[in-house]
Amino acid sequence: MTAAAEKAPPDGTREEVGRARRRKEDARLITGRTQWTDNIQLPGTLHVAFLRSPLAHARIQQVDTAPARGLPGVVAVYSGADFAAEQGSLPCAWPVSDDLVVPDHPPMAVNEVRYVGEAVACVVATDRYKAADALAAIEVDYEPLPAVLDMNEALADGADKVHEAGNKAFTWTFAGGDIDAAFRDAPVVIHRTYVQQRLIPSAMEPRAVVATTDGDTCTLYSATQIPHVLRVMLALTTGIPEHRLRVIAPDVGGGFGSKLQVTAEEVLLLLMTRRLGRPVKWTESRSEGNLTVHHGRDQIQRVKLAADRDGRVRGLSVDLLADMGAYLMLVTPGVPLLGAFMYNGIYKMDAYDFRCTGVFTTKMPTDAYRGAGRPEATYAIERVMDELAAELGIDPIDVRRRNWIAHEEFPYTTIAGLTYDSGHYEAATDRATALFGYADLRAEQARRRQSRDPVQLGIGVSTYTEMCGLAPSRILGSLRYGAGGWEHAEVRMLPTGKVEVVTGSSAHGQGHETAWSQIVADSLGVPFEDVSVLHGDTAVAPKGMDTYGSRSLTIGGMAVLRACEKVKDKARHIAAHLLEASAEDVEYTGGSVRVRGTGAGRTIQENALAVFTAHDLPDGVEPRLDAQATFDPENFSFPHGTHLCAVEVDTETGMSRIRSYVAVDDVGKVVNPLIVEGQVHGGLAQGIGQALFEEAVHDADGNLLTTTLADYLVPSAADLPDFITDRTETPAVSNPLGVKGVGEAGTIASTPAVVNAIVDALRPYGVNDVRMPCSPERVWRALNGGAS
Amino acid sequence: MARITVNVDGIRFEEEVEPRLLLVHLLRDRLGKTGTPIGCDTSNCGACTVLLDGKSAKSCAVLAVQADGCDIATVEGLAAGGRRHPVQTAFHEEHALQCGYCTPGMIMAAIDLLRTDPDPSDEAIREGLEGNLCRCTGYQNIVRAVRRAASIDGPVNGEQAAAREVPA
């Protein structure tokens, strides 16, 4: 399907919202004029290289930096002890429970290292090669301590400890309904344990940081998703007063949650520029990044589902172990809780019980990765719904249909306590099955089973929803999150009639400059080309909550819309005065303020010039035609959809090949279908990556074995199929545009769709699970009776 | 130190370089050609792809001294006289980029692919671009863009592109 279908409203005007506008951002990106952080070359810049722990757990007995000093080009060499007095502890902004253990997390290790890759020393030199050379001269004496790698072992009595306080970070529970009653005498009870392997987010742009100071103010350029949150957190961590700290996120090459962080390197480079009085720069290598960019997922899900024999779900119980890694980073403990409200998926049930235990191990900390908690939850419920269907001999779509919330039941408050505002699961599923050719594929599957074809066909179903548009500030507060969920915008009419939009949302590939221009063009009635969007610099866009959790459009876009409304109110007031009409008699329409019933009017551009000259403004009106607005939603948004995947599994080699993939998503109203489709494609690729290819693997000593893109298998073009995408459109009722968010949908839906398809292919062979990633070896082992 | 001469996007440079200096660091750190980014250190991702004497090469896997005497075309030199290269246009039209970090390398690799196979099938495009990783797009629109570029008349040949005059 192509997204390029553009609509022309019947009244002849051309609305921007809904058009497949080509992106404004592309001009610099396709010509190589992009401003990546690593491109920044300030005069006198020094380059930083970090020496990192080769051991998963060890006491640091001594760091001798002396041999590195005096080497060619070396300006300074530091160990953790040199920063101990001022480096503070990297922040965790989501203290989820009273029992949470928040270990001290020095940006540079001082006494103990707890994962391979933790920084223990650094060199500052005149170029990056010399800095890297000098690392070899630093001598570190370690006293090895036991690595703690397995969550179950970590929780056992007498286990080796990651931290003195023990290996349990927290316990968090939720209960809705009477779970005992749901399971009592239940005719069908299904137990499963699913493993969400550890993933490496792998944004294509490695992290990079440049810090500089003029002696008064520090400026930090960083490849970050969160310049605003980062500024606050760095001020709190380093003691640099917030008003003397500017954070700039230049062009940022992807994030997927991995750049939603306050990193050791950001803190340390700030301290170094302050100390040395010169700009300092650090850019990670990919191998360094695989070790030290926070990882994602890494959970063990024990799932228990009770149902009646007709397939009706009675209750669901989830016992989750979540690997925190060695420390708690910005939202580490909160990630599994974002899934806590999603395990029930789109289904009605009598009871739901959730328990999560956060566990410390001697590995890189985990934190947000595309979907953050919700892909894990969706995987578990969608996998177990297929198990229920198989147990009862019901078609997996039928078993879902018997349990999902019917269209006429919205708004619907789920057993997890969320109120889904809108949805139409029937429509999305009907569209998906039609595009997929569901009945024909089932018939082919039956034939292949009958003929014992060595290449079996599996069909995977995934009907997902997600809570996104993070988030109502009050709800975040009730979950003890350390910040709000609002977003900010400013819309400024310039004297020549052009428009500047300032957004607190910090784009890194999402296309805000284009989508926000479309929203403003419609609202103000100005040309799309006349709007420019500024973001990603705390001196330019001083207020913001940044970009993550599919929140940009549903929150940030609404703030832009509100600011436009305020500008129009001002324009009405000013124009009424200039037109000698009363404010009640004028209306804003088609880019002009007009006096009702007459031809008289003034365009917004004319108003902008009149405000600039200020020769004839109403009494008490300031000469500016601009407005700021914030938007704080009252509810999350709930995109949903039905994804169907057909996989051919070679039972002799274990090789799986995706034959077709249909994604029908309902993301409400769409501002730019081209961007939406692109987000779905990319999300699918990442979810399929988890299902088939990706895993961060450690050896028995805690060394990461997948430190390169040769070992950590990010899918290539040759690994993925063409996707068939389509949409149904059930507008959200929680925001004025009716939009829902799309950034994470594909990733959430696709992982269970693919694994369900593989298991479906193998079910005649007695297989009911394959552990991810479903490599040929794992599939072959599952078929041949070994542990998958 | 070794003395080398390279022609980058039509401009001749003479440089003294350490033998270990990577071509991509010569381009980025010495010549200011930051349009070519670095995505990995094992030549897997292809973000740093340039054309070396008309053929695609990962500039992180080439020493600057190996490029002595070579013509190097980067993404920065493609838009001759302000007119975009058909592959650049196709990437824009088909929304074949999101964050854009892989895009310079992807475009250069696509140009080389079309040089050797002017009318590639989807499968040939996917195989041909296997050495260039993208984390944003899922590749579907990249495949569309390459197919679109293949159908556009005009020079998509890398050698021609590299030889064009480039405005300062």
Side-chain angles (χ1 to χ4, degrees), chain B residues 14-97:
Chain B
E14 288 187 5
E15 293 289 318
E16 294 275 344
V17 299
E18 278 190 78
R20 63 175 176 167
L21 184 71
L22 298 176
L23 175 59
V24 71
H25 285 143
L26 173 74
L27 291 172
R28 292 180 54 78
D29 296 347
R30 297 275 290 273
L31 307 183
K33 303 289 286 184
T34 53
T36 301
I38 303 171
C40 74
D41 45 8
T42 49
S43 70
N44 291 102
C45 82
C48 64
T49 303
V50 297
L51 300 184
L52 200 60
D53 287 339
K55 293 181 182 170
S56 71
K58 293 177 176 177
S59 61
C60 76
V62 177
L63 295 168
V65 290
Q66 292 175 291
D68 186 22
C70 290
D71 277 331
I72 297 157
T74 81
V75 73
E76 292 175 58
L78 290 179
R83 272 191 59 220
R84 285 179 187 162
H85 189 282
V87 175
Q88 289 175 308
T89 301
F91 269 62
H92 174 59
E93 288 296 326
E94 295 292 350
H95 185 38
L97 60 149

Side-chain angles (χ1 to χ4, degrees), chain A residues 216-247:
Chain A
D216 179 45
T217 297
C218 291
T219 300
L220 184 86
Y221 302 82
S222 182
T224 180
Q225 295 174 227
I226 53 162
H228 300 92
V229 173
L230 183 59
R231 182 193 191 202
V232 175
M233 290 296 165
L234 286 172
L236 294 171
T237 304
T238 63
I240 297 173
E242 190 180 353
H243 63 296
R244 292 198 197 156
L245 181 59
R246 175 182 178 188
V247 176

Side-chain angles (χ1 to χ4, degrees), chain A residues 751-763:
Chain A
T751 311
V754 174
V755 179
N756 277 343
I758 292 171
V759 173
D760 185 53
L762 303 181
R763 223 177 266 287

